[in-house]
Amino acid sequence: MILGIGTDLANIERIARTLERFGDRFRNRVFTEVEQAKAERRADVAGTYAKRWAAKEACSKALGTGLRMGIAWKDMAVTNLPTGQPVMQVTGWAATRLAEMTPPGHEAIIHVTLTDDHPWAQAFVVIEARPVARPA
């Protein structure tokens, strides 16, 4: 069953200007060390940050809160599987919220997809609850 859906559209040029203006202060407030390392290795640094920004916004919407009620930017982090597929990891208040909205006997799966077409970066997040398999 679907527990939540969120989407966000971020302007890559706006994120680039924010990076120029606030630098590490912005990076360290919003992105985990892993996200920063990934972005700084990419040719399109601002685009990589913009996609992750959009993913965090989309995840907060899928959690049903937006960026309020105690959720922190770094409570949501985008990493990648070896195949390159993005995955969302939640900690802190975001993990607590996810646990609260997951029905008993189910596990929550967060699906995330990212795309960009300069100057736009977009993310979709779907939170699914799957029944936990019971041993036979």
Side-chain angles (χ1 to χ4, degrees):
M1 88 181 69
I2 302 299
L3 299 179
I5 299 171
T7 185
D8 193 65
L9 185 66
N11 186 291
I12 296 168
E13 293 170 0
R14 184 178 130 237
I15 297 296
R17 287 190 304 272
T18 302
L19 287 164
E20 289 171 15
R21 183 172 179 197
F22 297 105
D24 286 342
R25 192 168 126 214
F26 172 67
R27 282 182 195 88
N28 294 332
R29 181 175 156 251
V30 176
F31 302 100
T32 65
E33 289 181 15
V34 171
E35 289 173 312
Q36 290 180 47
K38 173 85 171 182
E40 298 300 326
R41 285 193 310 265
R42 304 296 297 268
D44 184 9
V45 173
T48 302
Y49 280 122
K51 285 186 279 191
R52 278 149 180 75
W53 171 281
K56 291 168 186 268
E57 287 272 9
C59 184
S60 72
K61 292 170 185 174
L63 289 168
T65 64
L67 286 162
R68 57 182 171 84
M69 296 176 57
I71 198 166
W73 286 103
K74 289 181 164 185
D75 285 349
M76 303 164 287
V78 178
T79 59
N80 296 85
L81 298 176
T83 60
Q85 176 184 348
V87 292
M88 179 67 71
Q89 298 173 337
V90 293
T91 58
W93 191 90
T96 301
R97 172 69 181 143
L98 182 62
E100 290 171 354
M101 61 192 288
T102 304
H106 290 73
E107 64 178 339
I109 310 295
I110 302 174
H111 303 277
V112 60
T113 185
L114 309 173
T115 191
D116 64 284
D117 187 4
H118 196 85
W120 301 106
Q122 187 172 31
F124 286 94
V125 170
V126 175
I127 301 175
E128 172 189 14
R130 289 185 189 163
V132 175
R134 293 191 175 98

